C-alpha cells in the first residue's frame, strides 16, 4: 500500500475554505498541504509533487467580473501546462463552490468530449435567480452511472450551499444532452420528498429546493474522464454529523461507524475518501 | 492615455435572467410599492491605458464579459444597440463612484487586465452600472429613482427620463481623474490665543477637543524644558505643528481615550439621597471586577490592554473576542460604513497578541422601523435603506473574508432613525505558543525593531473618522470620514500575517483603525517608549497628501507590524508571495518621544507620556431622578391568540431569516448550531456554537444580549437584562458557565451637560446606573468583561429636532462548551416531549414588547411599570449551571431562552421550529396576573422540553431549582395555551409561521 496521497489545497487571493478542505482530506488518509497559488505560478512548487488537487471555496478576487473569472484566468494563462500534465497523469481534481466556478471558467469543467483538457469555457455559473447570496441546506442526488471517481457509491446527501452565483448554464439544450449522455451531470438538487434514486429531474425545481435556478437543477458536473469534478455545495462542511442541522434531533444522516469519526462521521467525508482511495488503488 | 469603454449586459433568452436588474425591480416593489415590469442592467468599465482599444476589444471575452452569459460592446453604449435593446426604455439611471472613492470591481478588473496585458502598468479602471426601466409608472420621477439607487456622498448618477430616452439621449458617465491633492508643508499653529479662539480652532479644525484640553496643549508648549528639547530636535519650539495638533486630537479623542468612562463623576440620586464620586466608571465598574476575577482563575490571559481580550480555551489554543461599533459612518454611507465596521474589527483580532485568526463574526444592528412612514430629518436615510445598506456591507465584508457570522440580533426603535447602531464583533483563535516558544498573546517588541505598514495604501479617505465620531451628526458631516472596505486586499493580508506569525517574524502587531498611523504606531511605541516615523516612506493612493493627513488617515486594510532587522528579508519575501504591500515606515526607539519626520524634517516631536497620558480628566455631573412614565395597563378584553400573531410580526420579534441567511454562517466547517434551527431550519437559534478544531468536538459558544427598551424606565435594568440574556442564550447551547467571558459595548447619547445637551446629567446618571448593574451582575455570574468599547455621541441634530438614541448596551459573550455533540436547540423535537419552565414569572411588564405594541396601536396609553429585575443573580447562576450541565449530559436537547414577548412568544417560536403543536398551562408559573405569566419578560427564564423517558432524570437533576411543568408537545398544528381550566389562546402553527416570517421578508417575492 502506498503512503498517504499528497493533496495540494490551493489558497490565496480570497480563497477561504482552504483550512477545512485540507482537514477533511487528512481525516480520510490523505496528506494535504495548503499551497499558495503563486507558489505554483512562480515555479517554486510544482503540481507534479501532488496526486490530488483541490480548489476550495471562497471569494477569489471578490467575485468581481464574475465568480472564479480572475482566478480562472491566472490558472488558464499561468498554470496551463502544469494543469494539462496533472490531468494527463490521471490525477483527480476537485473544485468546490468558488473552486467549481474557477474550474468552469478555466474550461476544465465540463471540458471537451475527450480525455485531455483544451481550456475552452463551455459553461458558466451565474447569479442566483433569487439575486441573493444564501447559506442554506439542500438535498443532493448523485447520478449512479456517472464516471466521476469522487462520488462513487454516493446516492443522496444533505449539504449546505453558500453562494450568490451558482446557477449553472450552458448555451443550448444539446450541450446538456451530450453531458447527460456521458453521465457527467453528476449531482443535482432534488426534492427530499422523492424516494432515493428517483429524485433527479430536468424540470427546474422551485426555490429553495433549487437554491439558484440552475438549468436542469445541476449542482455539479465532472469531465469526460470522471477525474475532474466540481460542485457548488460544500461537502467538506458536512464532514461530521455535528455540523448537520438535525444533530440535536438525533437524525443527522451518515455512516453508523467509520475509522475517521466513529458514529459521528458526516455524509460529506465519503467524497474525499473516494479520491484518496482512488489514488491509492490506481496511481 | 486613451479611455476605452467596455459595456457588458446579460444575454437574454430561455432560462436567462438579468438578476441585477431584477433585484432593483423587486426592491422598488418591496420598499416603495412601485411595480415595474422589467429592469435591465449594464455594467460598464472605463479603462485608462496605453493599450489600444482594438487590442482590448479583442480580449473582451477573456476578461470583462463571460461569453456564455453576457454580451459586450466596446466604445459604444449598449443602449444604442437595437439587437440588445430593441425596445426603448422609459428611464435610465447610471451610477458610478465619485473620483477617489474605493472602486473594488475596478481594482479587481485592473488586476485581471494586467494578467492579460502585463505591460499595462500604469492603467486604471473605473466601473459603473446602468439600469434601464421598462414600463415605469409615469408618476415616478427619474431623479427620485436615481436617489434611491445611489448615495451622492460617494457616488454620482446620471439619468435619462422618458423624453430623453425617446430621442436616444443616453447618459454617459466619463472617466474622472481623482482631484489633485496638494502637499502642504507642515505649518505651526499659534496657540497663544484667547480661550474663545482656542475653542474656535478646535471646532473649525474638527479637532473635537474641549477648552481644558486645548489649554493643556497650550501649556505644554509654554514649558521651557519642552521648548528646549524641541529646539534641539530642530522643530518649532513654542507652538505645535499641524501634525502634532492633529495627532493629539486623534489620540485624545473620545473615540480613542474614552474620556467619559475615564471621567470623575459627581453622582446624585434624588430618590435615595445618595451623593457619590466615581473616579472613572471604567476602572471602578469594569476593570476592577475583572481584575479581581483574574486572581481566581487561570484562563484570563490578556484583558483590556490589547486589541481584544484573550482567554485560554485549552492547553493548545486560546481564543479572543472584540466588538466595535461603526455608527456614524453607517449613518452617512450604510454600505461602506458597515463594511469597514466588520473588516475593521477583524483586524482587531488579527492585531491581538502576535496575531490571532478571525474565525467567527457577530453582527447586531439597531435601526428605525423599516416601515417608517413619518418625517425624516434632513440628511438622514429612510430606515429601510439604512437596513439594506448596513446589511449588504456586513454581508460582503464577512462573506468575502471567509469568516462565518454565527450570532447577532436586529433591534428596532424610532429613535435609531437619528443614528443607527452597527455593532460588529469577531472571535479569534491562536495557538497558545508559537513554534519559536513565545506565548502568542504577548507582544515582544524592542527598540530597534522595524515597523512596517502592511496592506492597503494611505489616501484622503478616512481623514478625521475618530474625531468625527466624537461629534454629533450634522448636515455638514464630511464625506472624507467615510471609506469603503476592500475585503480581498484584507484577506490577502490576513493570510500573509498569519504565516508571518507562525514563522516567528512578528514582534508586535496592531491594526490601523481610528487615528491611523498616529494611533497604531503611537500605541505600540508605548512598549519600547519611543519611535521614529518617516511619513515620506508611506505608500499613498495618490500623491500630494500632507504630512498630517498621512499620519491620521484611516484608510482601510492596514496593519502595523514590527519585525526584527534580521527578519526583514523573510518578511518582504512573504509579502511578495501574497501580493501584499509591506513598507518599512518607522523604527522603535527608547527615546521617550513620538518622533515623526517627513524625509529629513522633523514634523512632530511629542513626549510619549504627554501623548498618551496628558489628556486632562473630565469632571462631570450626574443626577438620577426616575423618569415619570405612564403605567402600562393591559386591556381587559384581549384576544390573546390574535395578540400572539401580532407579537410574532413585531419587527423586534419577527424572523430575520431573509437577512441572516445571506451571511455565510458555515465557512470553516465548524458551526454546530446554525442561526436558524428546526425541521425546516427556520426556527430561531439562541447562540452560536462552533467546534473550530477540525475533527474535534470541543466547542465555543458565542451569544449576545441587548434590551434597549428598558432604558425608558431604568438603564440599570436594561444593562442587567442584556447580560442575563447573553448568559441564558449561552446556557441554551450548553456552555460551561464557569468559563465564560463578556464584552460590554455601550452606545449612549451625549451625556455631558451643555447647551446642546440640557439633560446631560440624567443621561450620565443612566450610564452610572447601567455600569453599577453591570458590575453587580457580572460579579455574581463570575463573568469577567475582557474587552469593550463605548460610543458616546449617538445623537442627531440639536434643539427640538434633536434625536437621541435610547441608551443601549450590547453584551456579547464567548464561553467554553465541552462537546458540541451534546447541545440543545429551541425547536420542539417530538410529540409527547414534556415542556417545562425554568425560572419564575414576576409582575414585570414595564417597557415590555407587548406594552409598546399596545401603546402603538392605541389600545393602551403607557408602557411604564416595573421592568424585569435580577434580585438574586447568584441563585440564577446555580440554576444556569444545573441546566447547562443537563444539556452537556444529553438529558435535554431542547431549550430556548424566554425574553421578548415572554412565555407566549418563546413557546410559539419552539412550535415554529419543530412544526409541532403544544398544550401549555400557565397556572402556577409565577405571578397571579395572567399577563405577567404570558407576556412578561422576567429574567432568569428558559423553556425546555424533555423526552418522556428522560423526564425523571431531568427533574432529579434540577432538584432545588425553580422548574414548573408547562405541558407537552403535541402532534398536529395547534398551540393551545390555558390558565388552569381556562383556555386563553389557540393558534395554528402555520399561521404563526406566516406572521413571524412576513414582516421582515422585504424580498419583493422570491422565485
Amino acid at each position: 500500500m502506498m503512503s498517504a496521497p499528497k493533496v495540494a489545497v490551493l489558497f490565496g487571493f480570497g480563497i477561504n475554505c482552504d483550512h477545512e478542505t485540507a482537514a477533511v482530506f487528512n481525516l480520510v488518509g490523505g496528506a494535504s498541504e495548503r499551497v499558495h497559488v503563486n507558489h505554483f505560478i512562480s515555479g517554486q512548487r510544482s503540481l507534479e509533487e501532488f496526486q490530488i488537487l483541490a480548489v476550495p471555496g471562497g471569494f477569489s478576487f471578490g467575485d468581481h467580473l464574475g465568480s472564479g473569472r480572475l482566478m480562472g484566468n491566472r490558472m488558464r494563462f499561468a498554470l496551463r501546462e502544469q494543469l494539462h500534465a496533472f490531468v494527463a497523469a490521471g490525477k483527480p481534481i476537485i473544485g468546490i463552490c468558488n473552486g467549481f466556478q474557477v474550474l468552469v471558467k478555466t474550461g476544465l469543467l465540463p471540458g471537451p468530449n475527450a480525455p485531455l483538457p483544451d481550456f475552452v469555457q463551455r459553461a458558466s455559473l451565474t447569479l442566483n435567480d433569487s439575486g441573493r447570496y444564501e447559506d442554506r441546506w439542500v438535498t443532493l442526488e448523485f447520478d449512479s452511472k456517472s464516471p466521476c471517481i469522487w462520488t462513487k457509491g454516493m446516492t443522496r446527501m444533505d449539504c449546505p450551499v453558500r453562494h450568490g452565483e451558482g446557477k449553472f448554464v450552458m448555451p443550448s439544450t444539446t450541450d446538456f444532452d451530450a453531458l447527460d449522455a456521458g453521465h457527467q451531470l453528476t449531482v443535482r438538487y432534488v426534492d427530499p420528498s422523492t424516494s432515493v434514486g428517483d429524485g433527479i429531474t430536468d424540470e427546474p425545481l422551485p426555490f429553495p429546493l433549487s437554491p439558484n435556478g440552475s438549468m436542469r437543477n445541476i449542482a455539479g458536473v465532472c469531465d469526460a474522464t470522471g477525474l475532474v469534478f466540481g460542485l457548488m455545495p460544500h461537502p467538506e462542511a458536512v464532514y461530521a454529523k455535528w455540523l448537520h442541522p438535525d444533530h440535536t434531533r438525533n437524525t443527522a444522516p451518515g455512516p453508523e461507524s467509520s475509522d475517521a469519526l466513529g458514529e459521528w462521521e458526516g455524509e460529506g467525508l465519503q467524497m474525499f475518501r473516494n479520491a484518496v482511495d482512488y489514488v491509492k488503488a490506481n496511481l | 492615455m486613451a479611455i476605452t469603454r467596455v459595456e457588458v449586459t446579460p444575454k437574454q433568452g430561455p432560462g436567462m435572467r438579468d438578476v441585477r436588474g431584477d433585484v432593483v425591480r423587486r426592491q422598488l416593489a418591496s420598499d416603495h410599492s412601485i411595480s415595474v415590469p422589467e429592469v435591465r442592467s449594464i455594467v460598464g468599465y472605463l479603462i485608462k491605458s496605453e493599450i489600444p482599444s482594438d487590442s482590448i476589444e479583442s480580449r473582451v471575452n477573456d476578461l470583462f464579459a463571460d461569453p456564455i452569459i453576457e454580451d459586450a460592446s466596446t466604445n459604444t453604449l449598449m443602449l444604442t444597440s437595437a439587437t440588445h435593446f430593441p425596445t426603448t426604455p422609459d428611464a435610465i439611471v447610471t451610477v458610478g463612484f465619485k473620483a477617489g472613492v474605493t472602486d473594488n470591481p475596478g481594482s479587481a478588473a485592473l488586476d485581471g487586465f494586467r494578467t492579460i496585458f502585463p505591460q499595462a502598468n500604469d492603467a486604471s479602471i473605473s466601473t459603473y452600472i446602468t439600469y434601464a426601466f421598462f414600463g415605469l409608472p409615469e408618476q415616478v420621477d427619474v431623479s427620485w429613482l436615481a436617489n434611491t439607487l445611489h448615495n451622492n456622498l460617494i457616488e454620482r448618477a446620471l439619468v435619462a427620463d422618458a423624453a430623453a430616452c425617446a430621442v436616444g439621449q443616453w447618459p454617459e458617465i466619463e472617466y474622472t481623474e481623482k482631484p489633485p491633492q496638494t502637499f502642504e508643508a507642515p505649518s505651526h499653529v499659534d496657540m497663544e490665543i484667547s480661550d474663545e479662539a482656542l475653542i474656535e480652532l478646535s471646532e473649525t479644525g474638527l479637532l473635537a477637543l474641549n477648552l481644558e484640553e486645548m489649554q493643556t496643549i497650550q501649556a505644554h508648549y509654554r514649558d521651557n524644558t519642552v521648548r528646549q528639547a524641541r529646539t534641539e530636535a530642530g522643530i518649532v519650539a513654542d507652538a505645535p505643528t499641524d501634525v502634532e495638533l492633529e495627532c493629539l486630537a486623534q489620540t485624545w479623542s473620545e473615540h480613542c481615550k474614552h474620556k467619559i468612562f475615564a471621567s470623575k463623576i459627581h453622582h446624585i440620586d434624588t430618590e435615595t439621597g445618595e451623593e457619590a464620586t466615581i473616579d472613572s466608571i471604567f476602572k471602578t465598574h469594569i476593570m476592577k471586577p475583572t481584575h479581581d476575577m483574574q486572581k481566581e482563575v487561570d484562563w484570563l490571559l490578556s484583558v483590556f490592554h490589547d486589541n481584544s481580550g484573550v482567554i485560554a480555551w485549552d492547553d493548545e489554543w486560546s481564543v479572543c473576542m472584540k466588538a466595535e461599533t461603526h455608527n456614524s459612518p453607517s449613518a452617512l454611507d450604510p454600505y461602506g460604513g458597515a463594511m469597514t465596521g466588520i473588516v475593521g474589527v477583524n483586524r482587531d483580532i488579527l492585531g491581538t497578541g502576535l496575531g490571532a485568526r478571525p474565525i467567527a463574526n457577530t453582527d447586531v444592528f439597531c435601526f428605525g422601523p423599516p416601515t417608517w412612514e413619518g418625517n425624516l430629518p434632513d440628511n438622514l436615510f429612510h430606515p429601510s435603506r439604512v437596513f439594506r445598506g448596513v446589511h449588504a456591507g456586513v454581508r460582503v465584508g464577512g462573506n468575502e473574508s471567509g469568516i462565518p457570522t454565527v450570532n447577532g440580533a436586529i433591534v428596532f426603535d424610532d429613535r435609531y432613525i437619528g443614528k443607527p447602531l452597527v455593532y460588529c464583533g469577531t472571535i479569534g483563535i491562536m495557538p497558545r505558543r508559537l513554534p519559536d516558544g513565545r506565548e502568542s498573546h504577548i507582544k515582544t517588541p524592542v527598540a530597534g525593531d522595524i515597523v512596517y505598514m502592511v496592506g492597503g495604501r494611505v489616501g484622503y479617505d478616512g481623514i478625521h473618522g475618530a474625531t468625527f465620531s466624537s461629534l454629533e451628526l450634522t448636515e455638514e458631516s464630511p464625506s472624507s470620514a467615510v471609506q469603503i472596505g476592500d475585503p480581498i486586499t484584507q484577506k490577502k493580508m490576513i493570510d500573509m500575517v498569519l504565516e508571518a506569525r507562525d514563522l516567528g517574524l512578528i514582534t508586535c502587531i496592531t491594526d490601523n483603525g481610528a487615528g491611523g498611523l498616529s494611533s497604531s504606531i503611537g500605541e505600540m511605541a508605548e512598549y519600547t517608549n519611543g519611535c521614529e516615523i518617516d511619513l515620506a516612506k508611506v505608500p499613498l493612493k495618490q500623491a500630494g497628501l500632507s504630512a498630517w493627513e498621512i499620519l491620521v488617515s484611516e484608510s482601510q486594510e492596514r496593519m502595523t507590524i514590527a519585525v526584527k532587522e534580521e527578519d526583514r528579508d523573510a518578511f518582504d519575501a512573504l509579502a511578495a508571495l501574497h501580493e501584499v504591500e509591506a513598507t518599512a515606515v518607522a523604527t522603535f526607539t527608547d527615546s521617550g518621544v513620538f518622533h515623526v519626520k517627513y524625509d529629513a524634517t522633523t514634523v512632530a516631536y511629542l513626549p510619549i507620556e504627554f501623548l498618551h497620558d496628558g489628556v486632562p480628566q473630565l469632571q462631570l455631573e450626574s443626577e438620577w431622578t426616575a423618569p415619570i412614565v405612564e403605567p402600562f395597563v393591559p386591556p381587559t378584553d384581549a384576544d390573546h391568540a390574535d395578540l400572539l400573531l401580532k407579537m410574532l410580526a413585531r419587527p423586534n420579534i419577527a424572523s430575520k431569516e431573509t437577512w441572516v441567511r445571506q451571511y455565510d454562517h458555515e465557512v470553516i466547517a465548524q458551526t454546530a448550531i446554525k442561526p436558524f434551527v428546526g425541521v425546516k431550519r427556520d426556527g430561531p437559534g439562541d447562540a452560536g456554537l462552533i467546534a473550530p478544531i477540525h475533527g474535534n468536538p470541543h466547542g465555543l459558544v458565542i451569544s449576545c444580549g441587548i434590551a434597549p427598551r428598558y432604558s425608558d424606565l431604568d438603564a440599570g435594568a436594561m444593562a442587567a437584562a442584556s447580560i442575563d440574556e447573553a448568559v441564558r442564550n449561552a446556557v441554551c447551547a450548553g456552555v460551561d458557565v464557569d468559563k465564560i467571558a463578556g464584552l460590554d459595548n455601550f452606545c449612549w447619547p451625549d451625556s455631558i451637560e451643555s447647551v446642546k445637551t440640557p439633560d446631560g446629567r440624567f443621561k450620565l446618571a443612566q450610564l452610572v446606573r447601567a455600569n453599577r448593574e453591570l458590575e453587580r451582575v457580572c460579579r455574581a455570574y463570575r463573568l469577567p468583561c475582557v474587552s469593550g468599547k463605548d460610543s458616546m455621541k449617538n445623537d442627531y441634530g440639536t434643539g427640538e429636532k434633536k434625536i437621541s438614541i435610547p441608551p443601549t448596551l450590547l453584551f456579547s459573550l464567548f464561553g467554553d462548551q465541552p462537546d458540541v455533540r451534546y447541545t440543545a436547540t429551541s425547536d420542539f423535537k417530538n410529540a409527547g416531549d414534556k415542556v417545562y419552565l425554568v425560572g419564575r414569572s414576576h409582575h414585570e411588564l414595564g417597557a415590555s414588547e407587548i406594552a409598546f405594541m399596545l401603546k402603538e396601536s392605541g389600545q393602551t396609553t403607557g408602557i411604564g411599570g416595573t421592568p424585569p429585575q435580577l434580585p438574586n443573580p447568584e441563585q440564577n447562576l446555580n440554576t444556569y449551571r444545573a441546566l447547562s450541565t443537563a444539556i452537556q449530559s444529553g438529558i435535554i436537547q431542547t431549550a430556548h431562552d424566554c425574553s421578548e414577548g415572554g412565555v407566549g412568544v418563546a413557546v410559539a417560536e419552539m412550535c415554529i421550529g419543530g412544526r409541532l403543536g403544544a398544550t401549555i398551562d400557565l397556572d402556577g408559573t409565577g405571578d397571579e396576573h395572567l399577563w405577567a405569566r404570558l407576556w412578561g419578560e422576567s429574567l432568569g427564564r428558559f423553556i425546555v422540553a424533555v423526552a418522556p423517558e428522560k423526564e425523571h432524570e431531568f427533574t432529579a437533576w434540577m432538584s432545588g431549582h425553580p422548574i414548573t411543568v408547562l405541558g407537552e408537545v403535541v402532534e398536529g398544528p395547534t398551540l393551545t395555551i390555558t390558565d388552569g381550566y381556562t383556555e386563553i389562546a389557540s393558534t395554528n402553527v402555520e399561521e404563526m409561521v406566516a406572521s413571524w416570517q412576513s414582516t421582515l421578508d422585504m424580498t419583493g417575492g422570491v422565485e
Side-chain angles (χ1 to χ4, degrees), chain B residues 758-890:
Chain B
D759 54 352
R761 288 178 186 225
F762 172 71
K763 287 169 172 167
L764 192 62
Q766 290 181 305
L767 188 69
V768 169
R769 290 176 76 85
N771 277 279
R772 285 177 167 181
E773 279 295 274
L774 177 86
E775 172 173 3
R776 184 180 71 90
V777 176
C778 285
R779 280 191 188 272
Y781 286 173
R782 279 176 254 155
L783 169 54
C785 292
V786 296
S787 180
K789 210 68 191 273
D790 54 276
S791 165
M792 301 301 294
K793 305 276 174 179
N794 292 292
D795 311 271
Y796 172 86
T798 50
E800 281 177 16
K801 286 200 287 184
K802 181 166 176 171
I803 307 173
S804 293
I805 64 149
T808 308
L809 168 67
L810 168 68
F811 198 86
S812 311
L813 181 149
F814 63 125
D816 189 41
Q817 206 276 6
D819 189 333
V820 301
R821 294 174 295 183
Y822 304 98
T823 184
T825 48
S826 72
D827 48 309
F828 281 142
K829 305 297 187 295
N830 295 297
D833 288 356
K834 297 286 187 264
V835 183
Y836 278 80
L837 174 72
V838 178
R840 304 286 290 169
S841 303
H842 308 287
H843 199 299
E844 297 168 328
L845 286 159
S848 58
E849 188 68 29
I850 190 107
F852 273 88
M853 182 174 87
L854 293 175
K855 185 181 174 217
E856 283 166 29
S857 65
Q859 286 167 274
T860 58
T861 47
I863 56 99
T866 310
Q869 308 287 307
L870 206 51
N872 294 304
E874 291 81 2
Q875 224 168 349
N876 286 21
L877 179 67
N878 288 332
T879 301
Y880 298 173
R881 186 180 292 108
L883 180 58
S884 215
T885 51
I887 291 167
Q888 290 162 19
S889 308

Side-chain angles (χ1 to χ4, degrees), chain A residues 69 124 130 167 243 248-249, chain B residues 15 26 61 66 674 825 827:
Chain A
R69 197 93 211 278
S124 194
S130 70
K167 177 179 177 173
L243 300 173
T248 58
R249 308 181 71 85
Chain B
R26 286 191 275 126
N61 284 339
D66 178 336
K674 328 290 181 192
T825 48
D827 48 309

Side-chain angles (χ1 to χ4, degrees), chain B residues 396-424:
Chain B
V396 170
N399 290 358
E400 294 193 7
S401 303
I403 303 167
T405 298
V406 299
N407 190 243
I410 309 177
V411 177
F412 300 94
D413 185 289
D414 294 357
R415 290 161 287 182
Y416 295 121
I417 289 173
K419 187 81 90 80
L421 304 185
V422 177
Y423 294 95
C424 298

